Amino acid sequence: MEPFPTLAEARRRAHALLDAHALAYLEGGSGAERTLRWNEEAFGRYVIRPTVCTGDAAPDITCTLLGEQLAMPILVAPFGLDRIFHPDGHRAVVQGAAEAGTVAIASSSSGYTLEDVHAASPAGAWAFQVSALGPVGVAERAARRAADTGYRALCITVDTPRPGWRERTLEDPDPPSAVELASANYGPDDFAERMAGAVGWTWAMVAALGAAAGLPWMAKGVLTAADARAAVAHGAAAVIVSNHGGRQLDGAPAAIDALPEVVAEVGAEVPVIIDGGIRHGSDVLIALALGATAVGIGRPAAWGLTAGGADGVARVLSILAEEYAIARTLAGGLEVAPRPRRSWRSDLNALG
Ligand SMILES: Cc1cc2nc3c(=O)[nH]c(=O)nc-3n(C[C@H](O)[C@H](O)[C@H](O)COP(=O)(O)O)c2cc1C
């Protein structure tokens, strides 16, 4: 792989390599794609307040997360249909994460079994993701297998009782077979039953799923203080503030806008991770300044995977870490504030 210098270039290369189906699946959101857009835009409503001449030339950007020692406060969020991006799929994702000194959450909607993914890099294969979706027994079997295989944490996605209304993929006349590409961890029947979305999950069921695996579990897809409190009350070891990259409830708040209330509610008790719209080191800085322990990246990791397999994933993570380190040095600390809003009225008043 010819190394790409920026995430934007990784994205361009991925777009040049992927067909229309894969692109619709990767870049699309749900409904009018408002939440998808807000995820990135919302970072622009913060300013970073720099402190200069601190005497610190190299701020420490390492991170401890549920006992994991990471080289950066950045990890790979789970994404499905991995094999449409690269033949090595999540095997390459966990290898790339480990290469960069961090970890990945492996999606259960994979073209590789969870055992195959773990074997590719036990260090990178930190957490296995299951959704609170479909029959409880099916999810529990996958979660137990993950624990037996050596995953160190379970990520329970709670914002997907059924897949969102994704127009780009609905309009796709000839979508790739999701069953083929994403059911390595479930038989075809289990896969169909899960997608029917006929099971109404509760927090008690989520807690039972976490307990069945016997692993520390995270609730992914929390956007309010009340849901964060419910997750922790039911035993979550961490909370992931996420709107699924704008792919589930359109109109849900941007992840960064939901972060402060979640941190205020549970941040003193459990680590809070955030994903959604992280594209630059300054986004990482804003998230950490607002109380996140770490951030997750979804689409950027898939761009790296497409552009260069494991090395591409590692490169995306390393670029983001380097940009974050530069931002930390330039900022001299972790202080952000809402961006001051100037109104026409005040501009006109200033003119007299
Ligand atoms: C192509 C794609 C597939 C995804 N599949 C899953 C999945 O299987 N399970 C899950 O919990 N989240 C899934 N997500 C959501 C991501 O984990 C994450 O929340 C989101 O991508 C973060 O936003 P970002 O793409 O702006 O970084 C998926 C996201 C994308 C882009």
Side-chain angles (χ1 to χ4, degrees), residues 98-348:
E99 214 179 291
T102 185
V103 291
I105 304 175
S107 170
S108 57
S109 300
S110 174
Y112 283 106
T113 64
L114 62 93
E115 290 84 1
D116 275 348
V117 172
H118 187 268
S121 172
W126 169 53
F128 183 69
Q129 177 267 329
V130 288
S131 296
L133 159 78
V136 182
V138 174
E140 277 187 6
R141 274 198 298 281
R144 282 211 188 90
R145 261 173 66 197
D148 291 345
T149 303
Y151 286 87
R152 305 186 288 287
L154 187 70
C155 168
I156 306 182
T157 300
V158 291
D159 63 9
T160 312
R162 54 186 300 189
W165 180 259
R166 300 182 192 159
E167 299 202 341
R168 292 199 217 186
T169 46
L170 287 169
E171 287 171 358
D172 195 328
D174 183 22
S177 165
V179 178
E180 234 165 73
L181 287 163
S183 66
N185 289 302
Y186 306 99
D189 293 345
D190 285 349
F191 188 81
E193 244 188 294
R194 289 170 73 244
M195 288 303 144
V199 180
W201 280 68
T202 63
W203 280 111
M205 291 156 75
V206 171
L209 172 59
L215 293 172
W217 59 275
M218 308 165 254
K220 174 173 181 283
V222 163
L223 292 167
T224 65
D227 274 352
R229 176 51 58 203
V232 173
H234 283 85
V239 167
I240 305 185
V241 174
S242 170
N243 52 40
H244 216 107
R247 301 161 76 83
Q248 285 298 106
L249 175 64
D250 193 36
I256 196 68
D257 287 339
L259 178 66
E261 74 171 78
V262 171
V263 167
E265 182 68 28
V266 301
E269 296 157 59
V270 297
V272 177
I273 302 166
I274 176 174
D275 70 37
I278 304 278
R279 302 291 180 265
H280 286 282
S282 51
D283 303 334
V284 182
L285 193 152
I286 291 165
L288 265 69
L290 294 175
T293 303
V295 306
I297 53 168
R299 292 179 183 85
W303 302 333
L305 174 65
T306 307
D311 288 348
V313 172
R315 187 146 182 86
V316 159
L317 288 161
S318 303
I319 289 171
L320 211 44
E322 173 71 6
E323 197 187 349
Y324 171 57
I326 291 172
R328 279 290 305 273
T329 303
L330 299 182
L334 277 175
E335 194 190 337
V336 299
R339 185 156 61 93
R341 289 175 63 124
R342 293 184 52 162
S343 66
W344 278 104
R345 190 187 300 269
S346 63
D347 283 354
L348 289 175

